[in-house]
Amino acid sequence: METTLTTLLGSARDILHVNWLGASTAPSRTLYPHQWSWDSAFIALGRSWHDQRRAEQELETLFAAQWSNGMLPHIVFNLDVSEAEYFPGPGFWDARRTGRVPRGTATSGITQPPIHARAALDMHRHARDVDASRAFLARLYPGLRAQHEYLARDRDPTGIGLPVIVHPWESGLDNSPVWDRDLRDLRIPPGTVPAYRRRDLQHADPADRPTDEVYDAFVYLAMRYRDSGYDDRRLLDTAPFAIAGPLFCAIYLWSTDALAEIARIIGADPGPHEDAAARIREAMLRELWDPEARRFYPRDILTGHLEPEETIVSFAPLLDADLPAEHLAAILEDLRSVCFHPEADGHFVVPTFSTRSPVFDRRRYWRGPVWINTNWLLWHGLKQHGYEAEAEEIARASLALVARSGFREYFDPFDGAGYGASGFSWSAALTIDLVEQLGGAEHVRLDGNPMAHA
Ligand code: 9WN
């Protein structure tokens, strides 16, 4: 089994090598030929175990495209790729007209979960060249700080203490059923969505991807934000979608804690980040916790309502190192329930949506399949609260999935089949990180006692 893991790690590195674009990494050469924001954080972390320099460069390339208001764009376009290869491309976003996009770069106009400070800190923790890594942290810190300040300042229009996302693409879990109600409630005036061609369907099975109806809603929301001039001061008047969600906010909190640590490492003042973390923590408990359902849910700040869907986002507050015992116990109960831990033999944890829901879909994008990044996040969350057995089960399932089906984008929770893109960068990168964190290929066993160290 050791040999298999060693081979697996070799293939993971090969994928990162093939997907390297020269200064950053594409999530997939076919389906996603540009640089994506949270992908790059996962990729840099995985790559950092064998190539510190390129891993650091990955994040620096991303932050070189940060807008002047601190907004870190969700896509930095690869200028060697034509507009026709990915929709929506730079022409659709028309970001340049804001005057906030750095010269020489082309970006989308929305953001993604701010996992970057956490990735940078984790990279530093195992850096071989510690001095170079400290210098890297010092260079990245102003950008990280600006990213967090942007979210606090411009994305909290009602002052709840949490940033909102204005598009499902910002959540990273685009097609999750958690947004269904909001997308259904959009009143899209006939003829408003321009004619467009879906490029994703040239590279992926339509059964794995969002439906055309959902895509229209995605395009409509992006258009509305673009046409408002990406003006966050007018969000309450112009945004048809404004949601504070547990996954985005928990990552924001986890990264804010990391930012305080980075500040300490480079000799800056951690105080503002510690204060921010305390405020976010408190706001998550106040705004996103439903005491009756005993679950964290996203809050739609336009209606004031919580979104009661049984999805994986409810478990993300495990990333809060100070999560109170009551909330922790409720999350554990849900994670162990048949909805997220199906009893069928050979199942793989953790499905992204309750397997008991009538609209659970074992293969469609974020509507049921297991993803390596959400598993990796929960693995961290469980470990930090001392739930070793549960964390090990997730690690074992993740490795078994990639060993069985390759570095696919997502996986069937029942039979482990792989779906979406092949050669998907974060599946490869987080496999590397998982194995290395567990002690390296020679110490990790997939058989017998779960993840027992040899
Ligand atoms: C839109 C790149 C990205 C991920 C997202 C994932 C998917 C894009 C798409 O791919 O979204 O941003 O075209 O479907 O949902 O999390 O960052 O891997």
Side-chain angles (χ1 to χ4, degrees):
M1 195 43 96
E2 278 86 357
T3 324
T4 309
L5 267 184
T6 306
T7 317
L8 201 65
L9 285 197
S11 320
R13 282 189 204 137
D14 288 347
I15 284 173
L16 296 189
H17 181 70
V18 167
N19 291 348
W20 176 249
L21 298 172
S24 66
T25 313
S28 144
R29 280 277 176 179
T30 53
L31 196 53
Y32 310 115
H34 304 286
Q35 179 177 31
W36 259 261
S37 172
W38 78 329
D39 297 63
S40 271
F42 296 130
I43 292 164
L45 179 55
R47 198 193 282 284
S48 65
W49 289 97
H50 60 277
D51 191 340
Q52 181 178 342
R53 195 183 58 78
R54 279 193 179 176
E56 292 171 355
Q57 188 182 8
E58 175 94 38
L59 289 181
E60 293 198 83
T61 302
L62 179 68
F63 276 83
Q66 184 171 32
W67 286 17
S68 56
N69 61 349
M71 201 281 290
L72 192 65
H74 103 296
I75 302 177
V76 180
F77 290 104
N78 173 1
L79 301 174
D80 295 333
V81 166
S82 79
E83 181 89 26
E85 285 179 57
Y86 179 82
F87 177 82
F92 172 91
W93 290 103
D94 195 19
R96 186 148 292 289
R97 109 187 129 115
T98 60
R100 301 185 198 132
V101 183
R103 198 187 297 274
T105 64
T107 75
S108 70
I110 56 172
T111 194
Q112 259 191 338
I115 185 91
H116 312 81
R118 177 57 57 174
L121 176 63
D122 275 12
M123 281 158 62
H124 178 72
R125 285 181 171 150
H126 58 251
R128 288 210 180 92
D129 185 342
V130 181
D131 289 341
S133 174
R134 204 176 290 111
F136 158 72
L137 288 183
R139 286 196 304 279
L140 203 66
Y141 179 70
L144 291 169
R145 212 180 48 204
Q147 174 193 26
H148 283 238
E149 283 167 3
Y150 163 75
L151 293 171
R153 183 191 63 234
D154 292 358
R155 285 301 190 91
D156 183 10
T158 54
I160 60 171
L162 298 173
V164 296
I165 55 168
V166 298
H167 196 294
W169 281 333
E170 293 201 311
S171 74
L173 270 58
D174 320 340
N175 199 26
S176 168
V178 79
W179 321 121
D180 280 2
R181 182 194 315 241
D182 300 274
L183 298 187
R184 240 190 339 258
D185 288 351
L186 283 178
R187 280 191 195 77
I188 307 183
T192 357
V193 178
Y196 64 93
R197 243 179 91 201
R198 288 186 60 175
R199 303 291 170 178
D200 56 323
L201 299 182
Q202 291 171 337
H203 304 293
D205 189 325
D208 300 359
R209 297 284 304 172
T211 61
D212 285 346
E213 197 189 349
V214 167
Y215 232 80
D216 273 355
F218 288 166
V219 173
Y220 174 70
L221 285 175
M223 227 177 69
R224 286 283 300 263
Y225 190 41
R226 176 196 69 194
D227 294 346
S228 78
Y230 302 107
D231 185 352
D232 293 319
R233 284 165 312 182
R234 295 194 294 137
L235 278 188
L236 288 179
D237 301 327
T238 58
F241 182 101
I243 295 182
L247 179 73
F248 193 100
C249 293
I251 288 176
Y252 178 51
L253 172 57
W254 202 38
S255 268
T256 304
D257 284 337
L259 207 47
E261 186 57 30
I262 292 174
R264 271 179 226 113
I265 292 167
I266 63 167
D269 179 9
H273 309 303
E274 289 164 351
D275 295 346
R279 285 196 300 272
I280 301 164
R281 185 164 278 131
E282 197 262 320
M284 282 186 62
L285 295 175
R286 189 185 61 238
E287 300 291 336
L288 307 185
W289 174 250
D290 180 338
E292 268 152 47
R294 301 183 65 242
R295 199 174 269 149
F296 286 96
Y297 287 133
R299 183 177 294 281
D300 179 336
I301 64 146
L302 301 173
T303 62
H305 298 150
L306 289 173
E307 309 282 352
E309 284 296 344
E310 291 180 63
T311 73
I312 200 163
V313 304
S314 294
F315 310 139
L318 282 172
L319 294 172
D320 177 358
D322 292 331
L323 189 68
E326 178 203 346
H327 304 73
L328 192 54
I331 291 181
L332 260 295
E333 200 178 301
D334 271 351
L335 265 176
R336 289 173 180 144
S337 78
V338 71
C339 299
F340 288 94
H341 199 288
E343 297 302 330
D345 276 350
H347 70 272
F348 297 87
V349 289
V350 177
T352 40
F353 185 39
S354 166
T355 58
R356 290 301 166 103
S357 161
V359 291
F360 165 81
D361 188 331
R362 59 199 282 174
R363 68 176 300 169
R364 203 182 291 275
Y365 196 67
W366 298 116
R367 305 184 71 84
V370 178
W371 290 66
I372 300 300
N373 69 331
T374 44
N375 265 11
W376 179 88
L377 289 164
L378 296 184
W379 173 71
H380 266 291
L382 288 164
K383 251 185 346 150
Q384 80 170 339
H385 291 291
Y387 287 97
E388 292 296 337
E390 287 80 358
E392 282 181 6
E393 188 185 18
I394 291 182
R396 188 176 32 139
S398 308
L399 295 181
L401 284 169
V402 293
R404 180 198 177 284
S405 298
F407 297 102
R408 298 298 299 267
E409 195 177 0
Y410 36 99
F411 304 88
D412 190 311
F414 293 106
D415 64 14
Y419 303 126
S422 301
F424 188 62
S425 294
W426 84 40
S427 298
L430 294 178
T431 297
I432 298 172
D433 187 60
L434 205 54
V435 172
E436 295 296 352
Q437 298 272 1
L438 290 165
E442 46 311 335
H443 295 295
V444 178
R445 290 210 322 261
L446 281 169
D447 55 344
N449 188 14
M451 305 312 301
H453 289 242

